[in-house]
Amino acid sequence: MIIRKTAAELEKMRRSGLLVWQILQKLGEMAREGVTTLDLEVAADQMIRDAGAVPAFKGYFVPAAGEAYKFVLCTSVNEEIVHGMPSAKRVLKKGDIVSIDTGVLLDGYYGDSALTVGIGEVSEEARRLMRVTQESLELGLEQARAGNRLFDICGAVERHVTSNGFSVVREYVGHGIGTKLHEEPQVPNYVDRKNENPRLKEGMVLAIEPMVNAGKPDSRVLKDKWTAVTRDGSYSAHFEHCVAVTSNGPWVLTRP
Ligand code: MF3
Ligand code: CO
């Protein structure tokens, strides 16, 4: 069942969304050569608590990993796709691209968003990967309209990625969001006719999060049980926003 939110609930989700946006803006500016991914983690933890919110990821149990996640951020560098763990040993260097993903719980409602930033001079190909991934997210958000179906979102993302010669990761997907971090429906970044294709209705809120590889789509998880990487070692980019389906069209909650 896909839970639909009232206008009052959407206002609360808006506050969670704007908090996540604010945090990601700060972290995006902080992410420079010489900074560690743990530095980003510490700053994010402080900002979340200062706002009177609770980190959404820390303590979140993920069945595939068989344990709870231990950080407030996922920081996924270069060939890491998602669920990279902040570390004092991971010093950002010129040419890296880093996906910063975070979520908060504020006043009972979740917000979840991610962006990928380049460190110093980044290769032309990596810049194009980030641009195409972000564009694919925008095209997906644009489809979050009452009367459309889920596949309109999935297909818009997938078409843009594949027509630009990149590939969509299949093992990780977006999701509904509300009083839980992950609600129905799953929001894949590709169309698979075997999946359900519900009609979108007012009040639904979706976290759309394309994960796009420069090379082949295949992924594997490192021995740390969390970090998903590309099998071929190619770079991967990730952007995410939460969007509400409203009578006025898509309302992106996680940016002003
Ligand atoms: N944005 C990701 C998601 O919504 C991050 C989850 S990390 C986790 O699934 F550890 F909390 F699972
Ligand atoms: Co998410």
Side-chain angles (χ1 to χ4, degrees):
M1 207 230 342
I2 304 176
I3 299 163
R4 296 165 65 183
K5 282 81 182 175
T6 64
E9 290 180 295
L10 290 185
E11 287 303 331
K12 290 189 179 188
M13 294 197 72
R14 175 59 164 167
R15 291 187 53 228
S16 310
L18 286 181
L19 175 59
V20 170
W21 175 81
Q22 239 177 18
I23 292 164
L24 286 180
Q25 291 306 302
K26 294 247 174 66
L27 298 176
E29 286 165 24
M30 257 187 86
R32 293 276 184 275
E33 197 186 359
V35 170
T36 73
T37 53
L38 190 67
D39 294 332
L40 302 177
E41 164 78 13
V42 169
D45 195 44
Q46 192 61 49
M47 287 187 273
I48 293 170
R49 290 174 201 288
D50 285 350
V54 174
F57 298 173
K58 201 176 197 164
Y60 189 80
F61 185 82
V62 173
E67 62 184 28
Y69 192 66
K70 296 183 188 66
F71 301 91
V72 311
L73 295 183
C74 297
T75 50
S76 309
V77 184
N78 298 342
E79 78 286 356
E80 297 172 358
I81 301 168
V82 283
H83 304 164
M85 290 183 283
S87 163
K89 290 187 204 144
R90 190 71 195 233
V91 183
L92 296 173
K93 58 180 201 317
K94 267 184 257 167
D96 284 345
I97 65 169
V98 56
S99 151
I100 308 171
D101 185 357
T102 197
V104 302
L105 175 64
L106 182 65
D107 200 12
Y109 289 83
Y110 283 93
D112 182 10
S113 183
L115 48 74
T116 301
V117 294
I119 307 300
E121 280 278 288
V122 166
S123 76
E124 172 82 51
E125 174 81 341
R127 282 207 306 277
R128 196 172 70 88
L129 175 68
M130 290 190 286
R131 177 175 55 77
V132 167
T133 306
Q134 193 165 17
E135 286 167 353
S136 74
L137 171 57
E138 294 302 326
L139 293 167
L141 293 168
E142 178 57 30
Q143 294 300 317
R145 295 177 177 280
N148 276 3
R149 287 185 182 273
L150 188 67
F151 284 1
D152 291 313
I153 295 175
C154 311
V157 173
E158 181 177 39
R159 267 195 311 280
H160 189 65
V161 170
T162 55
S163 69
N164 278 283
F166 295 135
S167 58
V168 158
V169 174
R170 301 183 73 89
E171 291 83 4
Y172 303 91
V173 298
H175 48 95
I177 182 168
T179 58
K180 293 196 293 177
L181 177 62
H182 293 154
E183 295 183 355
E184 286 182 33
Q186 292 200 351
V187 185
N189 299 296
Y190 53 88
V191 172
D192 184 338
R193 295 285 157 197
K194 289 196 290 295
N195 292 335
E196 288 198 63
N197 185 18
R199 199 174 284 285
L200 303 179
K201 298 187 173 139
E202 260 177 59
M204 291 180 177
V205 183
L206 304 173
I208 306 176
E209 48 180 317
M211 290 145 271
V212 175
N213 297 350
K216 297 214 167 71
D218 313 75
S219 72
R220 67 188 173 91
V221 176
L222 298 185
K223 281 210 276 294
D224 65 19
K225 294 188 281 192
W226 287 95
T227 314
V229 298
T230 60
R231 276 194 179 271
D232 63 8
S234 66
Y235 277 20
S236 188
H238 176 213
F239 287 84
E240 174 177 20
H241 275 303
C242 295
V243 61
V245 177
T246 80
S247 57
N248 294 319
W251 182 16
V252 181
L253 300 173
T254 41
R255 71 178 170 213

